[in-house]
Each structure stands twice: as structure tokens, then as C-alpha cells.
Amino acid sequence: MPLTPTERDRLLLFTAAELARSRHRRGLRLNVPEATALIADTVCEAARDGLRLAAALERGRSVLGPDDVLPGVGDVVTEIQVEAVFDDGTRLAVISDPFGAWGRRDGAPGAVLPASESVEAPTPATTLTVRNTAAVPISVTSHFHFFEANPRLYFDRSAAYGMRLAAPTGSSTRFDAGGAVQVGLVPMGGDRIAIGFAGLVDGPLDASGAKEEALRKAVACGYLGADAGHGPEGTNP
């Protein structure tokens, strides 16, 4: 059965979580990878059950307490991030204090303390008008490769290649059904390697021919705006 990279990642997470569940049922205290997988999978399954983001995060925090993990795990794992598919689209779920506030000893050696100042959105490098042609709202998280966002979002895909939303980490932008929104985009950072997402790139963004091949795949898969000059229902951008 052919699977996309995103589906393979989800299957790997589920397998690791099932191993953690088995060990947890046997009374074993979980290590960092086990605890992380179990909580992340719980949030993904909550999203699949139809829960909204806030309720899914609470379910994730309720799975394990400090007595369920090995000593020091609560000091190391202070935040877990996972892409989960909700009814209104894929969103980045950020589970802070995954074992509850009492699961981490603030001030202990190795503890990671949250910054008190708020995180501001980066300055956009470019702006695009995005129209949602679907019958339901669509949400896109801050660090999703915007070029690969939901096929029913109509915008200039070529201009969005290698870009993400100019938004704080963990936030998302909602596109109401039939509505149009102007968004700011910034280049993806780091090594600029896009793995997963919708599977249109799966490699270095700046490799020779990568953008052209990604646009070809997007057109073949029906992503609106990938074929320059041809909008939904015969309209132009």
C-alpha cells in the first residue's frame, strides 16, 4: 500500500506510542521518546475524534503524570509539538507542560523555563491574497510549507514556494469558506529541507529543478494556483 511521507511519519508515531502504551500498562516508567510519542499520538487521535485544538491539548496533558515517567523526564520534556489533522485542517498542536505544571521542577538543573516576553510575528518578505474555495474553513499552521497548503486554497503557489506564514510559532491562520485573506510570508529557515507536508517536495527546497518539479506535481494533483493564470472556475488571480 503506497503511503505519503506524512502518512509514514504518522504510522511511525503511532507504532512508538503503542509500544509506550504497552510498557505503561505493565507498570514501567516511560523514558523521553516513549512519553513524547504517547502524548503526541493522544493529541492526534483526539483531533481524529473531532475534538477542537484546546480539548485535544487537554487530553494530551491528562495521559501521563510525573510518576509515570523516569526521573528527569519532566525536566527535559517541557513542550511537545505535533502536526494534527483537525476538522478544519492541519494545525500545529503545542503541548506545554505535558505532565502538568507539577511535572517539572522550576529552577531544577536542566529545567527549561518559558520566556516571560511575548513572541512577535516576523516581518513578512512578501504578501499574497489567499481565497478559500472549499465549503468548510481551512486552517494553516505557522511553519507549514505554504506552497503545499490545502489544494482548495487559491493563491500564487509559485510565489509561495519555500515560504511559511509570517506568524509566531504554534499559531495558525484560518481561512473561512468562500473568503479571501491577505497573508504575509517569510522564507523557511534552517537547512531549507521540506520533508512530509503534502509530499510535493520531500527534499532540499533550493535543489536544482526542485521548484519546477514541485509545481508539476501540484498541477497534476489539482492544487489551485499552481498553474499560473488559471484560477478556480475559470477566473484569473
Side-chain angles (χ1 to χ4, degrees):
M1 178 178 66
L3 296 173
T4 67
T6 299
E7 290 168 337
R8 289 197 297 268
D9 289 344
R10 181 69 191 93
L11 184 59
L12 179 61
L13 175 61
F14 173 77
T15 303
E18 282 296 285
L19 176 61
R21 288 189 183 95
S22 174
R23 290 176 175 174
H24 186 231
R25 284 193 294 266
R26 300 204 312 267
L28 298 177
R29 302 181 75 176
L30 303 183
N31 57 26
V32 168
E34 293 164 348
T36 301
L38 179 51
I39 292 172
D41 180 71
T42 298
V43 172
C44 289
E45 288 303 296
R48 184 66 177 85
D49 289 341
L51 272 63
R52 299 188 68 83
L53 177 60
L57 293 176
E58 285 305 311
R59 181 178 289 186
R61 291 190 187 98
S62 69
V63 176
L64 299 173
D67 294 334
D68 298 314
V69 296
L70 291 169
V73 171
D75 294 330
V76 175
V77 184
T78 58
E79 181 180 276
I80 296 172
Q81 298 186 16
V82 63
E83 291 272 1
V85 182
F86 293 85
D87 288 345
D88 59 351
T90 301
R91 306 181 70 176
L92 178 64
V94 181
I95 309 105
S96 56
D97 283 327
F99 312 109
W102 29 262
R104 172 174 49 83
R105 301 186 306 277
D106 289 346
V112 179
L113 304 180
S116 58
E117 66 272 12
S118 60
V119 179
E120 296 183 357
T123 302
T126 188
T127 58
L128 293 177
T129 298
V130 181
R131 181 150 61 92
N132 181 7
T133 69
V136 296
I138 295 172
S139 292
V140 181
T141 52
S142 59
H143 282 56
F144 196 90
H145 183 205
F146 202 74
F147 171 85
E148 303 182 63
N150 193 295
R152 303 311 301 170
L153 293 177
Y154 176 57
F155 58 91
D156 185 348
R157 300 271 170 178
S158 178
Y161 183 83
M163 310 286 276
R164 67 171 180 85
L165 287 168
T169 300
S171 64
S172 63
T173 299
R174 176 186 172 101
F175 302 92
D176 290 325
V181 178
Q182 189 174 67
V183 300
L185 301 178
V186 294
M188 298 182 73
D191 293 333
R192 288 183 55 78
I193 296 175
I195 298 294
F197 300 110
L200 298 180
V201 182
D202 281 333
L205 287 162
D206 302 320
S208 176
K211 180 176 180 179
E212 291 75 14
E213 177 63 13
L215 282 166
R216 184 193 66 78
K217 289 181 180 179
V219 171
C221 293
Y223 279 73
L224 296 179
D227 190 1
H230 294 82
E233 302 174 357
T235 63
N236 291 317

